[in-house]
Amino acid sequence: MDEEGAQPWQSDLSRAPIATKIVVAGGFGAGKTTLVGAVSEITPLRTETLMTEAGAASGEDDLAPVPHKATTTVAMDFGRITLDDDLVLYLFGTPGQARFWFMWDDLMRGAVGVVVLADTRRLDDCFPALDYVEGSGLPYVVAVNHFDGSDLYAADEVREALDVPAHVPVLVMDARRRISVVETLLALVGHACETAPEQSVPQ
């Protein structure tokens, strides 16, 4: 932050808006499509297709925690949100199923940071995303997305269960609520500026 207390991307409102790429990752059914849709100021681009009986029968699509889920993302979700006169975020949601993980390399390219969504109904599904993001070196935050009827856990409990490093922010949020998602995105941008300023939002 500068001497006036402004964030780095707020220091000069006369310059052109900074276009910043954010990736939203996580397991199958964790709420990535919902998160992008909750804040996008444009109609989100969604590459969803109907779930197949074959996918469920093979075990690739575990529908037990999400029995009402009828579609799944097969390429990406895309949305845009203007957080400030000087900062525009472009959101890219990854597909959650293992058979589509080969697309993650392209989606991560050029991103300044990642929101890793954690579903408390099946935290184990979060590990592949965490392993990938940690290996990429990108700054990230863990966003705990509580679903109706699921057990509620504090951020510190999730941090311990997922073995998230102390310097990585862990937040409890609701992917359906705009203000909750905006707070998560702001936390990621701030974390990216603090941990990798040379690779994050231009200053």
Side-chain angles (χ1 to χ4, degrees):
M1 297 176 69
D2 62 22
E3 62 200 26
E4 299 295 330
Q7 296 289 348
W9 63 87
Q10 297 174 319
S11 58
D12 182 3
L13 297 180
S14 65
R15 62 184 179 181
I18 298 167
T20 302
K21 180 179 181 180
I22 299 293
V23 173
V24 182
F28 170 65
K32 300 179 294 296
T33 299
T34 299
L35 183 152
V36 173
V39 295
S40 181
E41 61 199 20
I42 62 173
T43 301
L45 169 64
R46 292 171 174 164
T47 56
E48 291 188 303
T49 188
L50 291 174
M51 304 288 293
T52 64
E53 292 182 5
S58 68
E60 290 184 283
D61 304 332
D62 181 10
L63 300 182
V66 285
H68 302 297
K69 186 171 178 62
T71 61
T72 185
T73 299
V74 295
M76 68 174 182
D77 298 305
F78 172 77
R80 183 189 72 203
I81 176 174
T82 302
L83 288 183
D84 186 88
D85 292 339
D86 203 25
L87 180 65
V88 178
L89 301 186
Y90 291 92
L91 308 178
F92 290 78
T94 66
Q97 294 154 294
R99 62 182 180 275
F100 299 124
W101 286 350
F102 67 91
M103 300 178 183
W104 284 32
D105 287 344
D106 288 334
L107 290 174
M108 296 285 179
R109 190 171 295 116
V112 301
V114 183
V115 174
V116 178
L117 274 183
D119 180 352
T120 58
R121 299 169 300 178
R122 43 182 181 177
L123 279 178
D124 286 352
D125 287 0
C126 195
F127 284 114
L130 286 173
D131 289 343
Y132 185 99
V133 174
E134 289 174 355
S136 74
L138 287 171
Y140 69 97
V141 300
V142 175
V144 184
N145 185 26
H146 282 306
F147 287 79
D148 292 338
S150 65
D151 293 332
L152 300 181
Y153 297 95
D156 286 344
E157 293 178 290
V158 175
R159 179 187 299 279
E160 182 177 357
L162 295 176
D163 196 24
V164 178
H167 71 278
V168 174
V170 178
L171 310 100
V172 176
M173 52 87 72
D174 186 335
R176 300 168 299 182
R177 296 180 57 241
R178 178 181 175 83
I179 185 62
S180 184
V181 175
V182 168
E183 289 172 349
T184 299
L185 295 174
L186 286 171
L188 173 61
V189 172
H191 180 58
C193 287
E194 292 171 359
T195 59
E198 71 282 358
Q199 301 176 17
S200 57
V201 181
Q203 310 202 5

